Amino acid sequence: MKGIIGRKLGMTTIYRDGKALGVTVIKAGPCTVIQKKTAAAGEYDAIQLGFEELPQKRAEKLLTKPLLKKFEAANVKPHRVLREIRINNPDEYNVGDVIDAGIFAEGETVDVTGWTKGRGFTGAMKRWNFRGGEASHGSKFHRELGSVGNHTEPAKIWKGKKMPGRYGNERVTVQNLEVIKVDAENGIIAVHGAVPGARGGLVIIKSAKKPRR
């Protein structure tokens, strides 16, 4: 297992073997190892990565004092983003190590985690793709949820009922995306397919948990 933090730059087309491939371009890394956890120490195997280094004055405005002390204890510069990634081989990393886009190679399969676009409070039809009522005149039931209640027993709405509410802004993982191109010098990774979130959104790229055979 290996992983890196990045930001989604957008989508483009890459031509390979006469085929047009829609790819998502991600600015990945560089990330610094801030903390290391091991199962031998009574925790679990993982490393904590810092992304987007901050100048000291800017960090003092944006970060809390405990976070600043954490970076100071690790003897690394403050970072804007902290994320933890579970790995199988934490002993291969040391605090202060820098991880860049070169850890992945073209042809590898990865899982990409991002946060979907927030769409605010929406109705049941948009949120859950309900059909709605008849569109003809006189129906009086068009873009509505319909009946949600129960009879005298149990006389309540069950938890989890699909109703209007906040739509989007959820953590989503897209699995088994192929790495089409890696530019380690500029920290760019292009993966075949769509990645959750808007341009500039934070993403985490990890080795595929269950790669396709």
Side-chain angles (χ1 to χ4, degrees):
M1 288 292 294
K2 54 189 175 182
I4 195 170
I5 309 170
R7 287 199 181 274
K8 178 179 176 178
L9 298 181
M11 295 194 70
T12 187
T13 303
I14 290 180
Y15 294 90
R16 187 177 69 176
D17 299 331
K19 295 181 180 179
L21 303 177
V23 298
T24 301
V25 182
I26 300 169
K27 178 70 173 72
C31 296
T32 306
V33 179
I34 307 298
Q35 185 181 358
K36 186 171 69 171
K37 297 182 178 181
T38 60
E43 295 187 275
Y44 46 86
D45 294 333
I47 54 173
Q48 190 177 62
L49 299 180
F51 178 57
E52 293 180 345
E53 191 176 295
L54 290 170
Q56 186 64 33
K57 287 188 177 180
R58 184 65 176 158
E60 289 173 0
K61 287 186 176 182
L62 293 179
L63 304 180
T64 61
K65 286 184 179 179
L67 270 180
L68 290 172
K69 287 294 183 181
K70 181 184 181 76
F71 289 117
E72 186 181 329
N75 198 24
V76 296
K77 292 184 178 180
H79 290 71
R80 183 186 297 272
V81 180
L82 278 180
R83 291 293 184 273
E84 194 172 272
I85 295 177
R86 295 215 180 192
I87 58 174
N88 300 327
N89 49 348
D91 292 331
E92 294 184 8
Y93 298 91
N94 294 308
V95 174
D97 287 353
V98 176
I99 300 173
D100 59 21
I103 63 168
F104 291 105
E106 296 178 9
E108 278 192 74
T109 307
V110 295
D111 296 341
V112 182
T113 301
W115 284 260
T116 60
K117 293 180 182 179
R119 296 168 178 83
F121 191 97
T122 64
M125 288 187 66
K126 182 180 179 72
R127 190 183 186 198
W128 301 109
N129 199 30
F130 285 170
R131 177 176 175 271
E134 298 293 336
S136 58
H137 291 286
S139 166
K140 296 184 180 179
F141 172 57
H142 303 294
R143 296 185 56 85
E144 297 179 17
L145 176 63
S147 176
V148 297
N150 285 277
H151 209 276
T152 308
E153 175 62 38
K156 66 177 182 180
I157 296 176
W158 292 104
K159 188 176 181 179
K161 174 72 176 175
K162 293 181 178 179
M163 301 181 75
R166 191 187 72 176
Y167 177 35
N169 194 27
E170 296 176 327
R171 182 183 168 109
V172 174
T173 299
V174 179
Q175 296 180 309
N176 296 326
L177 297 178
E178 183 186 355
V179 177
I180 300 298
K181 190 172 183 63
V182 176
D183 184 354
E185 185 177 347
N186 296 309
I188 299 294
I189 295 178
V191 296
H192 184 200
V195 168
R199 287 188 293 271
L202 199 69
V203 295
I204 300 173
I205 310 171
K206 295 185 289 187
S207 303
K209 213 168 187 179
K210 297 180 180 178
R212 287 175 293 188
R213 295 179 180 178

